[in-house]
Amino acid sequence: MSQSFSDETHRNMLSRIPHCTGREISDWLRTVEEGPALVRFDEKVSWLRGAHDLSYGHAKAIVHEHDLRRAARKF
């Protein structure tokens, strides 16, 4: 079972990702969008971790942000 981050923790994690990975959040969101058509959250996190050598926390934050932005576009 995955743990939930608070909104503040999520924002803090996102702000550190460019420094830790050398890539901007927009690049990571595009990577998820263009990646394999995985449905489940945990599958996307596992794919990012394996394919791009990300930590669990960074991968989870990227997938969560991707899902939030995708949901916002639907309304």
Side-chain angles (χ1 to χ4, degrees), residues 25-66:
I25 295 300
S26 59
D27 293 337
W28 285 116
L29 296 175
R30 192 169 28 262
T31 297
V32 173
E33 191 71 30
E34 295 170 354
L38 302 170
V39 176
R40 294 181 47 224
F41 183 88
D42 289 338
E43 290 175 324
K44 294 175 192 177
V45 171
S46 292
W47 170 74
L48 270 180
R49 291 184 72 203
H52 298 282
D53 197 31
L54 291 174
S55 71
Y56 175 76
H58 287 158
K60 183 176 175 183
I62 291 165
V63 173
H64 182 63
E65 185 67 17
H66 176 266

